[in-house]
Amino acid sequence: MSEPLLAVEHLVKRYTLPRESLFQAAPVVEALRGVSFTVQAGRSLGIVGESGSGKSTLARQVMALEAPTEGRVTLLGRDLHALAPAELRAARRDFQMVFQDPYGSLDPRQRVGRIVAEPLIGVDASAMRTRVAESLDAVGLRATDAGKYPHEFSGGQRQRIAIARALITRPKLIVADEPVSALDVSVQAQVLNLLADLQQQFGVTYLLISHDLAVVDHVCDDVAVMRSGLIVEYGPTEQMLQRPAHEYTRALLAAMPEAANPQPPSARADAEGAAAFG
């Protein structure tokens, strides 16, 4: 097998909390407790678990927004946390992030064109305008939207802007942390279908963080189920939906609205897409 696009090896993250007393040691929370997995290019992975399971902490380690206590994260063979700041900035063209909150993740003082162009480095103004227009078009927005401000768009449109920003460097990997949880159900379907379309069009691989197995079913080939900072089950998405082995995975599956009669991903996407536009 070829070298993985992303490799997470024995990742541990501990946070020291404020002291409750001068005479007691500061409490320590272990958010990640030795997480390991690989992602092959073109084979997207969903990370699923309830709040507090360590999913978002994992996303921050993968994005090199925080340093791990132990372990390492390699992308295309590069140890991200060992790179110098300038090297890390250059490496970010290969991995970008879509955040959960489409309202808080976009600077309200900046026009959309500048927001979308933010990840670009060393590109002249003319090429930048072209790249921005292409990215906006790819997510279903117009080139003229570059001159507007975020408050002029709906929540779903703002998340499309965030996706355009992540897409503009043509990254190999996009980390999407609960990308639809803040959106209405009908808009969720539209954004998930967009992510699936972009995957086909640009060959992007996703690391998609969610609390909902139905969400990752739309775009992910494999699923890792996290609980209390550990991966408790890992496997192909279809297998996890149809034959979950761990009791925690079965509990997450039971919480899905369609768990009693799950549809194939294509059928569900078609049905939800029709509902979104109808």
Side-chain angles (χ1 to χ4, degrees):
M1 183 177 291
S2 60
E3 182 180 66
L5 170 63
L6 173 71
V8 172
E9 303 173 55
H10 310 296
L11 211 59
V12 174
K13 182 62 180 179
R14 302 186 188 95
Y15 295 101
T16 301
L17 303 181
R19 292 173 181 265
E20 297 179 358
S21 167
L22 291 175
F23 304 102
Q24 295 179 339
V28 175
V29 173
E30 198 166 34
L32 298 175
R33 299 191 287 150
V35 173
S36 298
F37 61 86
T38 60
V39 177
Q40 294 293 327
R43 191 168 181 87
S44 295
L45 174 65
I47 306 289
V48 179
E50 62 190 345
S51 178
S53 61
K55 308 185 306 297
S56 291
T57 299
L58 175 61
R60 291 193 295 272
Q61 312 302 304
V62 170
M63 286 301 302
L65 299 176
E66 293 180 351
T69 306
E70 299 174 20
R72 66 177 191 157
V73 177
T74 58
L75 183 79
L76 297 170
R78 296 167 298 188
D79 184 345
L80 296 181
H81 296 279
L83 296 177
E87 294 174 320
L88 180 59
R89 283 195 298 272
R92 287 194 184 280
R93 68 178 179 271
D94 291 323
F95 66 110
Q96 293 290 322
M97 188 167 189
V98 176
F99 295 91
Q100 176 179 358
D101 182 6
Y103 297 92
S105 65
L106 306 180
D107 187 341
R109 300 166 297 179
Q110 302 290 346
R111 295 183 189 272
V112 166
R114 183 160 184 173
I115 291 171
V116 172
E118 181 184 356
L120 291 177
I121 299 174
V123 177
D124 63 51
S126 177
M128 186 175 293
R129 285 192 296 271
T130 299
R131 295 279 290 275
V132 167
E134 290 173 347
S135 287
L136 290 174
D137 178 70
V139 300
L141 297 173
R142 296 170 297 185
T144 54
D145 289 330
K148 299 179 181 178
Y149 288 92
H151 73 266
E152 299 180 64
F153 297 88
S154 68
Q157 289 172 323
R158 292 186 198 200
Q159 199 62 306
R160 288 174 183 265
I161 293 168
I163 294 169
R165 175 175 60 188
L167 194 65
I168 198 165
T169 62
R170 299 295 186 266
K172 304 292 191 301
L173 177 75
I174 290 181
V175 178
D177 187 4
E178 298 276 11
V180 298
S181 63
L183 305 175
D184 293 339
V185 174
S186 61
V187 180
Q188 287 183 13
Q190 295 180 42
V191 172
L192 288 171
N193 289 336
L194 171 63
L195 291 174
D197 289 344
L198 295 175
Q199 190 175 39
Q200 294 296 320
Q201 183 177 354
F202 296 104
V204 66
T205 302
Y206 295 114
L207 181 68
L208 195 152
I209 313 294
S210 181
H211 64 278
D212 188 345
L213 275 165
V215 168
V216 301
D217 185 26
H218 277 78
V219 294
C220 294
D221 304 285
D222 300 300
V223 178
V225 178
M226 286 193 69
R227 186 181 191 186
S228 302
L230 292 169
I231 291 177
V232 297
E233 189 168 2
Y234 185 108
T237 303
E238 183 178 0
Q239 174 186 312
M240 301 283 271
L241 289 172
Q242 301 295 335
R243 298 180 301 278
H246 197 279
E247 60 181 0
Y248 180 64
T249 309
R250 292 195 291 269
L252 291 176
L253 188 61
M256 290 171 55
E258 299 178 36
N261 185 25
Q263 295 175 305
S266 59
R268 178 157 50 249
D270 290 344
E272 292 183 349
F277 290 100

